Structures are given as structure tokens and as C-alpha cells.
Amino acid sequence: MTKTLIVTGGAGFIGSNFVLMLAEQRPEWNIVNLDALTYAGNLENLTAVEDKEGYTFVHGDITKPLDVERAFDEASKLGGSVSVIHFAAESHVDRSIVSGLPFVETNVCGTQVLLDVSRARGVERFVHVSTDEVYGSLGATGFFTEETPLQPNSPYAASKTASDLMVRAAIETHKFPALITRCSNNYGPYQFPEKLIPLMIANAQEDKPLPIYGDGMNIRDWLYVRDHCEAILRVFEAGKLGDVYNIGGNNEYPNIEIVKRILAGVGKPESLITYVEDRKGHDRRYAIDAQKIKDELGWEPRFTFEEALPLTIAWYQSQDTWLQRVRSGAYREYYAAQYG
Ligand code: NAD
Ligand code: DAU
């Protein structure tokens, strides 16, 4: 039977990679991309699919029930069973430290609107894309499992945790057919250059300083975006309704090591590294135990960091026009406020 997927946030970094992958791997499925096109949403990412039969873009805001209804109307026209893959979010920790309200509006209220309309419309499955940041911060050892208590530290992480709990409440109260994924830090093509890896590549290319927060020893578990997209598809197709799945790369590095590798990859000197004031409430270490998704669904990352970091650097080097366009306007204003 035909499937129609409503992908929220399909013009963002992970969402656009997911839509492009789906068009390749499940060409018979229909896709309705519901996106508000905030500073992080860029339809240029999707030129390869914009004319594909069965692909529709709906410019709409998940906090507005009528916009979400419109996406469902488009999905009904395309036919088949309708499911939701929910990426749309305010996603940047630093922005949430400056102003938390947009995070509550989109991540908490928007998710609730989406849950309500999806339930009324009888969706087949709903995958809520969440983050390892809901678990808080680790010391030098240990890993986040699906059972780790939720202890978010930033306004972004708190808003994602609240959205996870609203999804859980829908599952428990209404037997709503949802699943939750919690992933570590992604990198790869189309990532907005305010996050660590694309920001450092872009700055290095232009011989600008590379700002490292604090001592540079905060650790993240890096996962290539294509691996994350494949894991989400696997969870969508085979995950157990009501369950949570951690997704990680087994790939922990301190920030300073990432930045040194980028400089080496771009062929620029380490003298560009500039230590700046630490992020407020900066989580020290994230590390994911992804044993459950491996055992139950057979998913493991395919790309190593040694392969995929050079691929990512090469992508940004070949996409100078994309980068310049993205870096103009709103991004510049934000950049000036954040780094002076
Ligand atoms: P992103 O910021 O690149 O993209 C977010 C997208 O959502 C944009 O296209 C934006 O226009 C859209 N959007 C924002 N508010 C909206 C609204 N009110 N209505 C409709 N659309 C709206 O984010 P990303 O990095 O691609 O992250 C996608 C999802 O994955 C998020 O839920 C995030 O929490 C989660 N996640 C991200 C990472 C990561 O490393 N980037 C890791 C784990 C989980
Ligand atoms: O762990 C998953 C999360 O990863 C996702 O839920 C978020 O949406 C995503 O943005 C990301 O959050 P982080 O805060 O970990 O990512 P970011 O790229 O902002 O920062 C990564 C690390 O690099 C973090 O320790 C802060 C540091 N950093 C970041 C920037 C932007 C710097 O040292 N300098 C910088 O300029």
C-alpha cells in the first residue's frame, strides 16, 4: 500500500537530508514537507526533489492547527496511509540561552498541536525526533541508555524533554502510535553554519578565528547525518510502538580535537583557534549507548568519522554559493550578537 509521510522541518539540516534519502530509497512513497522556513529552513536544499511526483511543500507553522490541517489535507489528496516524521524544532542551544520562549512555542506547543491533529486524523505511525540532550550531562565515564533519567540543562534541552513527555502522555493516554528517537550530535551536508562543525569549516576557509568555548574539552558523540536518517527510517519501519530508541555514533571527541582535524582537513594553521568565554551551563560530555537499536532493529552507523569528516569538508568547499547565501541576512545579525 502507498505510504504518505508528513515530514515536519523537512527544509532544515536533518529533515532535508531525510527527504533526499527517502526520495532515493523509497521513491514510491509520497512526502509532504511541512516547514515554517525559519532562519534554519532552506528550500534550496531540496531542489533535487521539488519536481518529483508525490512531493509537496506546505509552508506552515506547527504551532498553528490550521497549518497542520493543511498538511494533512495535502497528504489525503496523495492517498495511502499517512504517517508523521517530526523534525521541526528550534534546535540551537546558544539561541535558547539568549531567548527560551521560541523553544517552548515550537518544541512544546508545536509538538502538542501536531499530536492533536495527528490523532484526530488517525495517523498510522508518528516518529518524534528527539535528542540525547534530554539526559543531561555525563562525567568522564558512562553512557546514556533509554532508561537514564531525564535531566535537561539548557532551555533547548528542557523544551525537547517537555515535548518527549507530551508524546509519552499521548502514547499512555490515547494509545497514540508514536515512537521516540534520541540522537547524538549530527554533522554533514546542509547543516546551518552556527553549529560547531560547519561554523569551523566556514571560518577556517575564510581565515577567520575559530571560537572554542571554555577549555575545548567538552565531549560530543558525532554521527554522520546519513546514518541518523537511516536509523530514523529503520525505527519508522520496524520500531516497536511506544518505545524510545537511542541513536549514536560510538564516536566521542573533545571539541578541540574536532577543530584541529578540521584545520588539518582545510589546510589552515592552528593559530586560528581562539578560546572564548564558555557557554552558560555547558554540558561536559554526551555519550550514547545505542545497543537497543542494534539488537532489536539491526541498525549500526555505516560511516566512520575518518571517512565522513573529509566528505563533509569537501561538501562545504564545493558549496561556496550555498554557504554565502545562508550566511547572509539573519545569520549575520545572529553571528554579530553571539560573537561580537
Ligand atoms: P534545524 O534547525 O536545521 O532545522 C529545523 C527545521 O524546522 C527548519 O527547517 C525550520 O524552518 C523548521 N521549523 C522551525 N520551527 C518551525 C515551526 N514552528 N513550524 C514548522 N517548521 C519549523 O534542525 P536540525 O538540526 O535539522 O534538527 C532536526 C531535529 O532533530 C530537531 O528536532 C532536533 O532537536 C533533533 N536533533 C538534532 C540533532 C543535531 O545534531 N542537529 C541531534 C539530535 C536531534
Ligand atoms: O546532542 C545533540 C544536539 O547536538 C542536538 O540536540 C542539537 O540540536 C544540536 O545543535 C547539537 O547541540 P550542541 O550544543 O552539542 O551542538 P553545537 O554544535 O552548538 O556545539 C557542539 C559543541 O561545540 C558544544 O560543546 C559547544 C561547542 N562550541 C559550539 C560552537 C557553536 C564551541 O566550542 N564553539 C562554538 O562556536
Side-chain angles (χ1 to χ4, degrees), residues 170-193:
I171 294 166
E172 296 296 323
T173 308
H174 300 292
K175 305 279 170 279
F176 184 71
L179 307 98
I180 297 174
T181 60
R182 296 191 179 132
C183 186
S184 59
N185 286 59
N186 285 217
Y187 65 101
Y190 302 113
Q191 187 167 29
F192 193 83

Short mmCIF file of all heavy atoms in Angstrom, two decimals, residues 170-193:
data_model
loop_
_atom_site.label_atom_id
_atom_site.label_comp_id
_atom_site.label_asym_id
_atom_site.label_seq_id
_atom_site.Cartn_x
_atom_site.Cartn_y
_atom_site.Cartn_z
N ALA A 170 0.69 11.10 25.21
CA ALA A 170 -0.25 10.70 24.15
C ALA A 170 -0.24 9.18 23.98
O ALA A 170 -1.29 8.55 23.76
CB ALA A 170 0.14 11.37 22.84
N ILE A 171 0.93 8.58 24.11
CA ILE A 171 1.05 7.12 23.98
C ILE A 171 0.28 6.45 25.13
O ILE A 171 -0.54 5.54 24.91
CB ILE A 171 2.54 6.69 24.02
CG1 ILE A 171 3.30 7.20 22.80
CG2 ILE A 171 2.66 5.16 24.14
CD1 ILE A 171 4.83 7.11 22.91
N GLU A 172 0.53 6.92 26.34
CA GLU A 172 -0.07 6.28 27.52
C GLU A 172 -1.57 6.55 27.59
O GLU A 172 -2.36 5.66 27.91
CB GLU A 172 0.60 6.81 28.80
CG GLU A 172 2.07 6.46 28.92
CD GLU A 172 2.32 4.95 29.03
OE1 GLU A 172 1.52 4.25 29.67
OE2 GLU A 172 3.32 4.48 28.44
N THR A 173 -1.97 7.79 27.31
CA THR A 173 -3.38 8.17 27.48
C THR A 173 -4.25 7.67 26.33
O THR A 173 -5.35 7.17 26.55
CB THR A 173 -3.50 9.72 27.56
OG1 THR A 173 -2.61 10.18 28.56
CG2 THR A 173 -4.92 10.15 27.91
N HIS A 174 -3.74 7.88 25.12
CA HIS A 174 -4.61 7.65 23.95
C HIS A 174 -4.18 6.45 23.12
O HIS A 174 -4.70 6.26 22.03
CB HIS A 174 -4.60 8.89 23.05
CG HIS A 174 -5.09 10.14 23.73
ND1 HIS A 174 -6.39 10.32 24.13
CD2 HIS A 174 -4.42 11.28 24.09
CE1 HIS A 174 -6.52 11.52 24.69
NE2 HIS A 174 -5.34 12.12 24.69
N LYS A 175 -3.19 5.70 23.59
CA LYS A 175 -2.62 4.61 22.77
C LYS A 175 -2.19 5.16 21.41
O LYS A 175 -2.36 4.54 20.35
CB LYS A 175 -3.64 3.46 22.55
CG LYS A 175 -4.21 2.87 23.84
CD LYS A 175 -3.28 1.87 24.45
CE LYS A 175 -3.69 1.43 25.85
NZ LYS A 175 -3.31 2.34 26.94
N PHE A 176 -1.66 6.36 21.44
CA PHE A 176 -1.23 7.02 20.20
C PHE A 176 -0.01 6.28 19.64
O PHE A 176 0.93 5.95 20.38
CB PHE A 176 -0.88 8.48 20.52
CG PHE A 176 -0.50 9.29 19.32
CD1 PHE A 176 -1.46 9.66 18.39
CD2 PHE A 176 0.81 9.68 19.12
CE1 PHE A 176 -1.10 10.40 17.27
CE2 PHE A 176 1.17 10.42 18.01
CZ PHE A 176 0.21 10.79 17.08
N PRO A 177 0.02 6.02 18.31
CA PRO A 177 1.06 5.15 17.73
C PRO A 177 2.39 5.88 17.49
O PRO A 177 2.83 6.02 16.35
CB PRO A 177 0.43 4.70 16.42
CG PRO A 177 -0.45 5.83 16.02
CD PRO A 177 -0.99 6.41 17.30
N ALA A 178 3.03 6.30 18.58
CA ALA A 178 4.27 7.08 18.42
C ALA A 178 5.50 6.30 18.86
O ALA A 178 5.41 5.34 19.64
CB ALA A 178 4.17 8.37 19.22
N LEU A 179 6.65 6.74 18.36
CA LEU A 179 7.96 6.24 18.79
C LEU A 179 8.85 7.47 18.97
O LEU A 179 8.65 8.48 18.30
CB LEU A 179 8.60 5.34 17.72
CG LEU A 179 7.76 4.18 17.20
CD1 LEU A 179 7.08 4.54 15.89
CD2 LEU A 179 8.62 2.94 17.00
N ILE A 180 9.84 7.36 19.85
CA ILE A 180 10.74 8.49 20.10
C ILE A 180 12.17 8.05 19.80
O ILE A 180 12.59 6.97 20.23
CB ILE A 180 10.64 8.94 21.58
CG1 ILE A 180 9.22 9.45 21.88
CG2 ILE A 180 11.69 10.01 21.90
CD1 ILE A 180 8.97 9.80 23.34
N THR A 181 12.92 8.90 19.06
CA THR A 181 14.35 8.62 18.88
C THR A 181 15.15 9.71 19.58
O THR A 181 14.74 10.87 19.61
CB THR A 181 14.74 8.61 17.38
OG1 THR A 181 14.44 9.89 16.81
CG2 THR A 181 14.00 7.52 16.63
N ARG A 182 16.29 9.33 20.16
CA ARG A 182 17.16 10.31 20.82
C ARG A 182 18.58 10.14 20.28
O ARG A 182 19.23 9.12 20.53
CB ARG A 182 17.15 10.11 22.34
CG ARG A 182 15.78 10.37 22.93
CD ARG A 182 15.79 10.43 24.44
NE ARG A 182 14.44 10.69 24.92
CZ ARG A 182 13.82 10.02 25.90
NH1 ARG A 182 14.44 9.03 26.53
NH2 ARG A 182 12.60 10.35 26.26
N CYS A 183 19.01 11.14 19.54
CA CYS A 183 20.27 11.02 18.80
C CYS A 183 21.34 11.97 19.34
O CYS A 183 21.04 12.98 19.96
CB CYS A 183 20.00 11.33 17.33
SG CYS A 183 21.43 11.04 16.29
N SER A 184 22.58 11.60 19.05
CA SER A 184 23.73 12.44 19.42
C SER A 184 23.97 13.50 18.34
O SER A 184 23.18 13.63 17.40
CB SER A 184 24.96 11.55 19.59
OG SER A 184 25.21 10.87 18.37
N ASN A 185 25.08 14.22 18.42
CA ASN A 185 25.37 15.34 17.51
C ASN A 185 25.57 14.87 16.07
O ASN A 185 26.42 14.03 15.79
CB ASN A 185 26.66 16.05 17.93
CG ASN A 185 26.45 16.89 19.16
OD1 ASN A 185 26.07 16.38 20.21
ND2 ASN A 185 26.71 18.17 19.05
N ASN A 186 24.81 15.48 15.16
CA ASN A 186 24.94 15.17 13.74
C ASN A 186 25.89 16.14 13.05
O ASN A 186 26.02 17.29 13.47
CB ASN A 186 23.59 15.34 13.04
CG ASN A 186 22.60 14.23 13.32
OD1 ASN A 186 21.85 13.85 12.43
ND2 ASN A 186 22.56 13.70 14.52
N TYR A 187 26.50 15.68 11.93
CA TYR A 187 27.25 16.57 11.06
C TYR A 187 27.09 16.06 9.64
O TYR A 187 26.75 14.89 9.42
CB TYR A 187 28.74 16.63 11.46
CG TYR A 187 29.46 15.31 11.28
CD1 TYR A 187 30.27 15.07 10.17
CD2 TYR A 187 29.29 14.27 12.19
CE1 TYR A 187 30.91 13.85 9.99
CE2 TYR A 187 29.91 13.04 12.01
CZ TYR A 187 30.72 12.84 10.91
OH TYR A 187 31.32 11.62 10.72
N GLY A 188 27.32 16.96 8.66
CA GLY A 188 27.19 16.56 7.26
C GLY A 188 26.66 17.71 6.43
O GLY A 188 26.57 18.85 6.91
N PRO A 189 26.28 17.43 5.16
CA PRO A 189 25.82 18.48 4.26
C PRO A 189 24.57 19.21 4.77
O PRO A 189 23.74 18.60 5.45
CB PRO A 189 25.46 17.72 2.98
CG PRO A 189 26.18 16.45 3.06
CD PRO A 189 26.35 16.13 4.51
N TYR A 190 24.43 20.47 4.41
CA TYR A 190 23.26 21.30 4.66
C TYR A 190 23.08 21.71 6.12
O TYR A 190 22.01 22.15 6.51
CB TYR A 190 21.96 20.62 4.17
CG TYR A 190 21.93 20.28 2.71
CD1 TYR A 190 21.91 18.95 2.29
CD2 TYR A 190 21.93 21.28 1.75
CE1 TYR A 190 21.90 18.63 0.94
CE2 TYR A 190 21.91 20.97 0.40
CZ TYR A 190 21.90 19.64 0.00
OH TYR A 190 21.88 19.33 -1.34
N GLN A 191 24.12 21.55 6.96
CA GLN A 191 23.95 21.99 8.35
C GLN A 191 24.19 23.49 8.43
O GLN A 191 25.18 24.01 7.92
CB GLN A 191 24.91 21.25 9.29
CG GLN A 191 24.63 21.57 10.76
CD GLN A 191 25.33 20.63 11.73
OE1 GLN A 191 26.40 20.10 11.42
NE2 GLN A 191 24.75 20.43 12.89
N PHE A 192 23.29 24.19 9.08
CA PHE A 192 23.38 25.64 9.19
C PHE A 192 24.67 26.02 9.93
O PHE A 192 24.95 25.46 11.00
CB PHE A 192 22.15 26.17 9.94
CG PHE A 192 21.99 27.65 9.84
CD1 PHE A 192 21.38 28.23 8.74
CD2 PHE A 192 22.44 28.48 10.85
CE1 PHE A 192 21.24 29.60 8.64
CE2 PHE A 192 22.30 29.86 10.76
CZ PHE A 192 21.69 30.42 9.65
N PRO A 193 25.46 26.97 9.38
CA PRO A 193 26.80 27.21 9.93
C PRO A 193 26.83 28.04 11.21
O PRO A 193 27.60 28.98 11.33
CB PRO A 193 27.51 27.93 8.78
CG PRO A 193 26.42 28.55 8.00
CD PRO A 193 25.20 27.71 8.14
#
